[in-house]
Amino acid sequence: MGHPDENIYPTATGRAAETVEQHQEPQDLVFWAGWFCPFVQRVWIVLEEKNIPYQYKEVNPYKKEQHFLDINPKGLVPAIEYKGRALYESLVICEFLEDAYPSRAPHLLPQDPFDRAYVRLWVDHVSKSIIPAFHRVLQAQEPEKQKQFLEEYYVTLRAVADKVKGPYFLGEHFSLVDVVVAPWVIRDYILKEHRGYTREGVSPKWKDYVEQLINRESVRKTQSDLEHYEPIYARYLRDEAQSEVAKATRSGRGLP
Ligand SMILES: N[C@@H](CCC(=O)N[C@@H](CS)C(=O)NCC(=O)O)C(=O)O
């Protein structure tokens, strides 16, 4: 048997499978994706929001095949090739799409310099606080630790909830903050089933915000059937996952 993380369902399902089907034709922009990956989903949401033509290619990043390492030496999804040149790192790609397709609304970074910085500030909070806290809850084995990390996770989410203007983070304007939060709220049922998390436990405002995000069309179109995320997270819940994110969480390092 190979690497345990190779045993993921091979392709997108549900609404995401329909979206993949519609993006098979060659285009200037090739999107190297893994249907299950929350970092991939960020880029995918942006592509769909802006209606950018792209060709979807599924890759299993755990196999570290040479053709993919030539595109992203880190061997992580997402990556893109734009007119034959490669880029990776989900946030770098999201900002690139904003810059490379300036006429395509919605603008996920606002025009005003202060507002742009404000969005980046909260995107940074998601990357540096929310996602590591999510993984600590997910991977903790002792009930005491699970409880402690769940409380810490709530604190990181409340910080965002307190700033939400509604319906989205900035108000009516759907921004990059919403893009980076959405993939994690779709996956929160894992913590609900296994770690006692509830959306109400964060705050009523958080619950309302989450409803808006999960019903956004770009989010729904990039989501697979929930049952297929389960086997992937089962390994995290036993703290057996060997992904770069899992290893970083275990050793207390920052995420890759
Ligand atoms: N910082 C990267 C993280 C991407 C990432 O961790 N992707 C995971 C899948 S969700 C991956 O490719 N994992 C392969 C591995 O860990 O070996 C980004 O934002 O793009």
Side-chain angles (χ1 to χ4, degrees), residues 76-126:
L76 304 175
V77 284
I80 61 164
E81 285 179 285
Y82 181 72
K83 301 183 181 172
R85 293 188 296 171
L87 281 177
Y88 44 91
E89 282 302 321
S90 57
L91 288 177
V92 172
I93 299 171
C94 289
E95 291 216 13
F96 166 75
L97 295 174
E98 191 67 32
D99 293 341
Y101 298 87
S103 58
R104 289 189 181 251
H107 296 292
L108 302 166
L109 286 169
Q111 294 301 314
D112 177 75
F114 183 89
D115 293 344
R116 288 170 87 83
Y118 184 76
V119 165
R120 290 192 176 112
L121 185 66
W122 286 98
V123 167
D124 191 59
H125 173 76
V126 175

Side-chain angles (χ1 to χ4, degrees), residues 36-40 42 61-62 64 74-78 88-91 242-245 255-256:
F36 57 87
C37 173
F39 302 99
V40 162
R42 295 172 166 181
Y62 301 107
K64 309 286 177 211
K74 292 184 179 177
L76 304 175
V77 284
Y88 44 91
E89 282 302 321
S90 57
L91 288 177
Q242 294 301 328
S243 68
E244 293 306 317
V245 172
L255 297 192

Side-chain angles (χ1 to χ4, degrees), residues 20-176:
V20 168
E21 186 64 36
Q22 290 157 6
H23 290 89
Q24 291 302 304
E25 295 297 314
Q27 300 290 350
D28 281 349
L29 195 150
V30 179
F31 178 33
W32 292 93
W35 65 268
F36 57 87
C37 173
F39 302 99
V40 162
Q41 199 177 7
R42 295 172 166 181
V43 173
W44 209 356
I45 290 171
V46 173
L47 289 168
E48 286 295 322
E49 283 287 339
K50 291 180 171 294
N51 205 11
I52 293 171
Y54 65 93
Q55 181 181 20
Y56 182 101
K57 290 202 184 173
E58 185 75 35
V59 62
N60 181 341
Y62 301 107
K63 287 195 175 157
K64 309 286 177 211
E65 287 172 313
Q66 192 56 49
H67 83 90
F68 186 59
L69 291 172
D70 291 342
I71 293 165
N72 180 358
K74 292 184 179 177
L76 304 175
V77 284
I80 61 164
E81 285 179 285
Y82 181 72
K83 301 183 181 172
R85 293 188 296 171
L87 281 177
Y88 44 91
E89 282 302 321
S90 57
L91 288 177
V92 172
I93 299 171
C94 289
E95 291 216 13
F96 166 75
L97 295 174
E98 191 67 32
D99 293 341
Y101 298 87
S103 58
R104 289 189 181 251
H107 296 292
L108 302 166
L109 286 169
Q111 294 301 314
D112 177 75
F114 183 89
D115 293 344
R116 288 170 87 83
Y118 184 76
V119 165
R120 290 192 176 112
L121 185 66
W122 286 98
V123 167
D124 191 59
H125 173 76
V126 175
S127 301
K128 294 214 185 104
S129 298
I130 293 185
I131 299 173
F134 177 96
H135 271 273
R136 280 194 290 273
V137 184
L138 189 67
Q139 290 177 232
Q141 299 299 298
E142 296 160 27
E144 273 311 303
K145 282 279 171 207
Q146 291 173 356
K147 243 180 97 189
Q148 177 200 330
F149 289 146
L150 180 62
E151 276 316 310
E152 289 174 12
Y153 185 49
Y154 280 153
V155 171
T156 67
L157 297 179
R158 270 179 213 129
V160 174
D162 288 349
K163 300 285 180 195
V164 169
K165 292 217 178 82
Y168 301 112
F169 185 72
L170 290 182
E172 294 298 330
H173 182 132
F174 186 80
S175 76
L176 198 55

Side-chain angles (χ1 to χ4, degrees), residues 139 235 239-243 245-253:
Q139 290 177 232
R235 285 196 293 275
D239 202 20
E240 288 171 1
Q242 294 301 328
S243 68
V245 172
K247 288 189 282 192
T249 303
R250 209 169 288 134
S251 67
R253 275 183 282 127

